[in-house]
Amino acid sequence: MPQALRQTLLSVRDLLITAGPLALLAIVLLVGAYWLVNPTPPKRVVLATGPAQGAYGEFGKRYKEQLAKYGIEVVLRETAGSAENLALLRDMDSPVEFAFVQGGADGPQPAAEDGEASPLLSLGSLFYEPVWIFYREARARQAGGKPPLASLAGLQGWKLNIGAPGSGVTQLMLSLLELNGVAPESLTLSRLSATPAVVDLLAGRLDAVAFTSAPESPLVQMLLQTPGIALFDFRQAEAYTRRLPLLTPVLLPRGVIDLARDQPPRDIHLVAPTAMLVAHETAHPALQQLFVQAARAIHGEAGWFQRRGDFPNPRSTEYPLGKEAERFYQSGPSLLQRYLPFWLANLIDRMWVLLASLIVVLIPLSRVVPPLYELRVRSRVFRWYGKLRQIEDALEQPESPGQPPDELLGELEALERRVAQISVPLSHADELYALRSHIHMVRKKLLALGAQRPVPA
């Protein structure tokens, strides 16, 4: 092996041995920080949506597509609606971490004991979810002689579907009926999910169906264009929203469904709760961030009831706003995410504070490495000065038996051979040459002493 390469490898070895404990400490701290922060989100997440053919189900498919771009698999959990979604979020044995929830679906909640906070976080309001009450025009003619249903009070005696158990529309419809003085006993109420209820409505087995949904729902789109089926006009929409603050008045504009056919032929007033995206507090922060970004892409455009940029937003939420959502609504995506892949931007974004703290701790510790390195290299030379000193001390005591000059000279030559095998960096070569010089000096003294002693007869 060339001498230069040997010297380099030796220096590297010394440096690694000296700095090794500090490097090991840095690795342990880094691994601990990574475990503590857990910056990498799971690759699979469960989103509770709603019934088939509903708006929640349609939007769930879009979220699935959006998060697939980042390597996240979104498993869609079909449910009866908001009430069931909330139950799944609160169930610690449930895999559901995200869900669509209708505003007001939670109902009045008992006060938390001992200041216990809600385990649910809001990621923002997503869209208006109008109350759609579709009814058969023929039934309205039987009741009042003309198709339009003037008020909810006219539903008395009708067969009305108010949503399946677990949906968010049930309690809302009961509240609306109560405001109109309609007792549940005065109607024939059914609790079918949306699709079977629509089938029964079209077959004449139901007079009206009520559900809350965004207009993207295929069932809503179909019923709006079905002959013989009319949509209830909440002409007192403002009054309803004063009595039930969770509602917002919205307007279905004339012609928005089909301009060519002028559908609907007039403006229709509706009332709407706001749909929210809710997460369990244990959901990974990076996933919360991705869901909020997906919400901006999916719900940010103009629609039947909102202008571009109205949604998503942090308003009208019944749960504490998550920190990741709050940061997104205040400043948008982080600067790193605009230029780096998500996984790398997320890793840096979540680790930089701890990394900075580690650097602050490790920099002072790193100052001990150069002195330790120098001590290790110099000790390779200085350790032989002890042996050289023993030989010189024996040389200065000629009366000591068993230590003739020839024997001491043999020990010195053995020491010199050992020293000849020492390799040190060039920066410490002067110390090695100094040791050799001192060995040569002691040899001269030994030779001089041997010359002075008489040769035995």
Side-chain angles (χ1 to χ4, degrees), residues 170-439:
T170 303
Q171 186 58 46
L172 179 56
M173 274 304 303
L174 292 176
S175 299
L176 293 175
L177 292 172
E178 182 181 0
L179 290 176
N180 285 271
V182 180
E185 298 79 14
S186 66
L187 300 99
T188 302
L189 298 178
S190 62
R191 301 294 302 275
L192 301 175
S193 59
T195 300
V198 170
V199 171
D200 283 0
L201 175 69
L202 298 177
R205 292 186 291 271
L206 286 174
D207 300 320
V209 296
F211 49 85
T212 54
S213 179
E216 285 80 359
S217 167
L219 291 178
V220 171
Q221 296 280 342
M222 181 195 71
L223 290 174
L224 286 172
Q225 303 180 65
T226 301
I229 301 298
L231 174 63
F232 177 72
D233 187 349
F234 283 84
R235 299 172 185 175
Q236 301 166 304
E238 288 290 344
Y240 279 106
T241 58
R242 297 296 192 277
R243 300 292 297 274
L244 294 176
L246 64 93
L247 298 176
T248 301
V250 295
L251 185 70
L252 186 67
R254 175 178 178 175
V256 72
I257 300 172
D258 192 328
L259 285 170
R261 294 191 299 157
D262 194 26
Q263 291 291 328
R266 67 184 188 282
D267 291 344
I268 299 179
H269 302 83
L270 300 172
V271 294
T274 304
M276 298 174 290
L277 181 59
V278 179
H280 195 275
E281 62 182 0
T282 57
H284 197 284
L287 287 179
Q288 295 182 38
Q289 189 180 114
L290 282 179
F291 267 90
V292 179
Q293 293 182 26
R296 171 68 60 85
I298 295 170
H299 306 289
E301 298 300 321
W304 286 6
F305 303 110
Q306 76 268 359
R307 294 182 175 85
R308 188 175 188 272
D310 284 351
F311 291 102
N313 63 63
R315 303 185 299 273
S316 303
T317 60
E318 303 169 32
Y319 308 98
L321 190 65
K323 292 182 180 179
E324 295 296 328
E326 183 178 8
R327 183 171 65 170
F328 179 83
Y329 290 124
Q330 289 178 350
S331 56
S334 67
L335 183 64
L336 291 173
Q337 289 189 29
R338 298 171 190 173
Y339 301 101
L340 297 175
F342 172 78
W343 69 269
L344 181 58
N346 174 69
L347 180 65
I348 297 174
D349 190 39
R350 296 187 58 75
M351 289 288 290
W352 74 267
V353 174
L354 283 175
L355 288 177
S357 302
L358 290 179
I359 291 173
V360 169
V361 172
L362 292 175
I363 284 180
L365 292 177
S366 66
R367 294 177 180 174
V368 305
V369 172
L372 288 177
Y373 173 76
E374 184 174 355
L375 178 61
R376 174 177 175 79
V377 174
R378 297 183 69 184
S379 66
R380 193 177 298 144
V381 175
F382 291 163
R383 59 183 293 194
W384 299 109
Y385 273 102
K387 182 62 175 177
L388 183 62
R389 184 62 179 269
Q390 291 178 5
I391 295 174
E392 189 175 17
D393 289 345
L395 175 64
E396 294 174 353
Q397 299 176 4
E399 68 281 359
S400 176
Q403 289 289 320
D406 292 343
E407 183 179 341
L408 293 176
L409 187 60
E411 292 182 9
L412 187 63
E413 290 177 352
L415 173 61
E416 188 173 26
R417 286 193 297 270
R418 298 286 294 275
V419 171
Q421 298 175 0
I422 297 176
S423 296
V424 296
L426 294 178
S427 59
H428 293 76
D430 58 333
E431 296 167 355
L432 180 60
Y433 284 111
L435 175 58
R436 291 177 176 177
S437 176
H438 294 154
I439 292 174

Side-chain angles (χ1 to χ4, degrees), residues 5-19:
L5 179 59
R6 183 184 179 188
Q7 293 286 345
T8 301
L9 293 178
L10 183 64
S11 299
V12 171
R13 187 193 69 177
D14 289 334
L15 183 60
L16 290 177
I17 293 176
T18 305

Side-chain angles (χ1 to χ4, degrees), residues 18-31:
T18 305
L22 181 64
L24 181 61
L25 175 62
I27 292 173
V28 170
L29 293 176
L30 187 61
V31 171

